[in-house]
């Protein structure tokens, strides 16, 4: 009798494990719990389209403070675009109360440092392996705190991403403080008082992955000119950072396009790897420009 019970228990356990590890259902947002190391306990939600491409691309879409994976899934256009273009969307979820991202601690601002950035990077590598995804077509985007993390991901894991778009964020490392606080708030940065040269900001970004000399993701930076949460000076500092990383002369952009992509929005182009879009008259709640993201990522011309 004991051996029969043991066998039944073993069968039940195996069945439960199989269910917990089943592939996410196409066309639905689902959580993945078994994707390898998750040092900072970040939630991993994934959307696999019903119309999945062979060797699909990946878009990592990172939510704002107070947000969740579900909220960003429903409030952003990426899942709908996934059905059209066959790519996979990863929606990380912050583990902290308030749902902001840790962009202030040394662990998260370091390649393989054990912070939020490390956990998100492991989601990407798991997805590439699980779905035979195209490792040369992985993109990252986010809003507010998610935009901050977008810049951090581009700095800490430049080898993973081909391009990024950041909506109303701050430069990578701007929220770091001497206290090395996890998920801390930096009012000096938020209020646009952290002002430095392109070279200074570039060195901060490069120090997040010491010794890395490979290619870096193309960056497109969006910000509202009336942002009272993350002041618009952060737009200029973020553009300085990536101009410094790519070796562009920040003070001499290649081109400025007015009323692009919307009326009263101005696009500044420093080169093929960096664009900045200042939305004049817009506050912190800047609208995602999904079609522009698709162009920047290379899904559309």
């Amino acid at each position: 009798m004991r051996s029969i019970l043991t066998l039944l228990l073993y069968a039940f356990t195996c069945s439960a494990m199989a269910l917990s590890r089943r592939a996410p259902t196409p066309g639905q947002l689902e959580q993945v719990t078994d994707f390898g190391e998750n040092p900072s306990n970040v939630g991993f939600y994934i959307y696999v389209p019903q119309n999945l491409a062979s060797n699909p691309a990946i878009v990592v879409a990172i939510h704002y403070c107070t947000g969740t994976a579900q909220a960003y899934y429903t409030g952003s256009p990426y899942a709908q675009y996934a059905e059209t273009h066959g790519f996979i969307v990863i929606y990380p979820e912050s583990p902290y109360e308030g749902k902001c991202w840790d962009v202030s601690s040394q662990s998260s601002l370091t390649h393989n440092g054990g912070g939020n950035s490390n956990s998100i990077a492991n989601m990407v590598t798991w997805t590439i392996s699980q779905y035979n995804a195209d490792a040369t077509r992985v993109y990252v985007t986010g809003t507010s705190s998610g935009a901050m993390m977008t810049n951090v991901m581009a700095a800490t894991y430049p080898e993973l991403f081909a391009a990024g778009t950041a909506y109303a964020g701050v430069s990578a490392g701007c929220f770091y403080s001497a206290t090395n606080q996890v998920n801390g708030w930096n009012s000096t940065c938020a209020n646009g008082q952290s002002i430095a040269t392109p070279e200074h900001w570039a060195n901060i970004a490069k120090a997040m992955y010491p010794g890395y000399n490979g290619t870096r993701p193309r960056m497109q930076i969006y910000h509202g000119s009336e942002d009272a949460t993350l002041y618009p000076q952060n737009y200029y500092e973020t553009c300085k950072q990536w101009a410094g990383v790519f070796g562009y002369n920040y003070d001499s952009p290649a081109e400025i396009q007015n009323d692009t992509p919307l009326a009263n929005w101005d696009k500044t182009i420093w080169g093929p790897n960096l664009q900045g879009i200042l939305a004049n008259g817009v506050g912190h709640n800047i609208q995602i420009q999904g079609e522009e993201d698709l162009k920047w990522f290379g899904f559309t011309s």
Side-chain angles (χ1 to χ4, degrees):
M1 176 66 72
R2 182 173 298 176
S3 61
I4 293 175
L5 288 173
T6 300
L7 287 171
L8 288 172
L9 180 61
Y10 176 76
F12 176 80
T13 302
C14 290
S15 176
M17 290 177 64
L19 285 172
S20 69
R21 295 180 179 179
R22 66 177 175 80
T25 303
Q28 297 181 19
L29 181 69
E30 295 209 2
Q31 185 173 14
V32 177
T33 57
D34 185 12
F35 62 94
E37 293 186 10
N38 185 11
S40 61
N41 199 33
V42 175
F44 177 11
Y45 293 81
I46 193 169
Y47 183 84
V48 179
Q50 298 181 66
N51 183 31
L52 181 64
S54 59
N55 305 119
I58 298 170
V59 173
V60 181
I62 310 177
H63 67 73
Y64 42 85
C65 283
T66 75
T68 61
Q70 177 69 46
Y72 213 50
Y73 163 69
T74 57
S76 64
Y78 303 112
Q80 294 93 320
Y81 290 138
E83 290 295 345
T84 302
H85 298 280
F87 60 78
I88 294 169
V89 190
I90 293 172
Y91 296 93
E93 184 167 292
S94 168
Y96 309 112
E97 184 180 358
K99 292 298 183 180
C100 295
W101 292 98
D102 175 21
V103 292
S104 56
S105 75
Q106 192 65 46
S107 60
S108 200
L109 299 175
T110 303
H111 182 83
N112 291 341
N116 287 177
S117 60
N118 201 162
S119 293
I120 295 172
N122 290 346
M123 297 174 194
V124 172
T125 55
W126 179 90
T127 304
I128 291 172
S129 175
Q130 187 79 6
Y131 292 94
N132 192 30
D134 187 346
T136 68
R137 294 196 302 143
V138 181
Y139 311 100
V140 59
T141 185
T143 300
S144 190
S145 184
M148 299 185 204
M149 181 54 75
T150 294
N151 286 314
V152 167
M153 294 307 302
T156 51
Y157 292 91
E159 80 284 10
L160 283 184
F161 301 102
T165 57
Y167 289 87
V170 305
S171 53
C174 189
F175 256 44
Y176 179 78
S177 65
T179 59
N180 189 25
Q181 182 181 359
V182 173
N183 189 30
W185 183 262
N186 187 320
S187 293
T188 301
C189 177
N191 293 340
Q193 297 168 336
S194 295
I195 300 173
T197 64
E199 293 74 21
H200 178 82
W201 284 124
N203 287 336
I204 288 176
K206 292 176 181 179
M208 295 183 191
Y209 191 175
Y212 179 76
N213 293 311
T215 58
R216 295 181 182 271
R218 297 177 291 107
M219 298 300 295
Q220 195 173 58
I221 310 303
Y222 286 84
H223 216 102
S225 69
E226 303 302 315
D227 194 327
T229 302
L230 298 172
Y231 279 46
Q233 185 64 37
N234 285 297
Y235 164 76
Y236 300 106
E237 300 308 307
T238 305
C239 291
K240 283 183 190 178
Q241 182 171 60
W242 294 115
V245 166
F246 290 118
Y248 297 140
N249 184 341
Y250 172 77
D251 295 318
S252 298
E255 185 180 0
I256 296 177
Q257 299 176 354
N258 301 122
D259 297 319
T260 304
L262 298 177
N264 216 29
W265 292 31
D266 297 326
K267 177 186 288 187
T268 302
I269 302 171
W270 281 272
N273 293 324
L274 177 61
Q275 297 181 357
I277 297 91
L278 185 65
N280 294 298
V282 175
H284 188 60
N285 191 27
I286 188 169
Q287 182 182 5
I288 293 173
Q289 300 299 302
E291 294 292 335
E292 295 299 312
D293 286 356
L294 291 186
K295 291 178 185 177
W296 187 245
F297 294 159
F299 293 109
T300 59
S301 60

